[in-house]
Amino acid sequence: MECKIVKRAAFYVLEKPSKHSTQGGENNVSVPAFWAQCGNDGTIDALISHANDKTLTLGICYGSDGDDIFDYSVAVLCDENTPVPDGCRKTLIPARTWATFECVGAMPQAIQQAWQKITAEFFPSSAYRPTGEFDIEIYPDGDTDCADYKSEIWIAVQPA
């Protein structure tokens, strides 16, 4: 599995958060449904209107609270002076080392399959382990139903 280890400076995101459960794979249904809801209710358009890079949307998964419940946000890159729409929040993602993976294929199947491979293949044999703080999915503009759509997964890591 191909991976790049990248150090990135801190950056701000503007995000719409929601809670999800990993029990029984529920998140594999609830997260795509949350994306659809944010697209249908205008949330994604509102976030993009404040974005520094209007060609990217992000999915941010925050660490579990120990009960298989985690925060997941639809987000965009912004700066510290970006206004925050109702129901959203602005978060500073601190400087970290990231394991980055390219993902190719239609969403959400391709991203879900990539996560399975990262968990089963990369981390068991890697010199790194996830910090458990957050993971970020990078979605460039494009047809997410297309078989050659390219996205990325960034996982905050530390030496094992």
Side-chain angles (χ1 to χ4, degrees):
M1 168 159 255
E2 201 169 313
C3 172
K4 293 180 186 171
I5 302 297
V6 179
K7 291 186 179 188
R8 288 195 167 83
F11 56 93
Y12 282 94
V13 295
L14 181 63
E15 57 189 338
K16 173 73 173 181
S18 62
K19 292 213 177 278
H20 299 269
S21 172
T22 59
Q23 292 182 351
E26 182 180 319
N27 54 306
N28 290 326
V29 174
S30 67
V31 169
F34 179 60
W35 274 95
Q37 173 191 335
C38 288
N40 292 335
D41 69 12
T43 298
I44 293 174
D45 289 338
L47 290 170
I48 289 172
S49 74
H50 296 292
N52 288 354
D53 183 341
K54 298 189 184 314
T55 67
L56 297 176
T57 53
L58 315 175
I60 304 176
C61 178
Y62 292 90
S64 171
D65 66 3
D67 292 328
D68 299 323
I69 304 296
F70 65 96
D71 281 346
Y72 182 92
S73 296
V74 171
V76 294
L77 297 170
C78 69
D79 62 44
E80 64 183 320
N81 299 316
T82 299
V84 180
D86 288 343
C88 295
R89 68 185 182 202
K90 183 170 31 183
T91 302
L92 177 63
I93 303 294
R96 288 289 180 268
T97 299
W98 302 88
T100 63
F101 304 87
E102 184 177 68
C103 178
V104 179
M107 296 296 126
Q109 299 82 5
I111 205 92
Q112 291 171 355
Q113 290 169 356
W115 274 112
Q116 290 172 353
K117 286 183 76 171
I118 291 166
T119 303
E121 296 175 21
F122 176 76
F123 281 116
S125 63
S126 169
Y128 293 92
R129 63 183 172 90
T131 65
E133 300 167 284
F134 32 70
D135 311 311
I136 302 176
E137 300 160 352
I138 310 296
Y139 298 106
D141 278 352
D143 182 355
T144 60
D145 293 325
C146 190
D148 63 352
Y149 177 74
K150 292 183 181 177
S151 59
E152 292 181 1
I153 296 173
W154 297 359
I155 302 171
V157 294
Q158 58 194 1

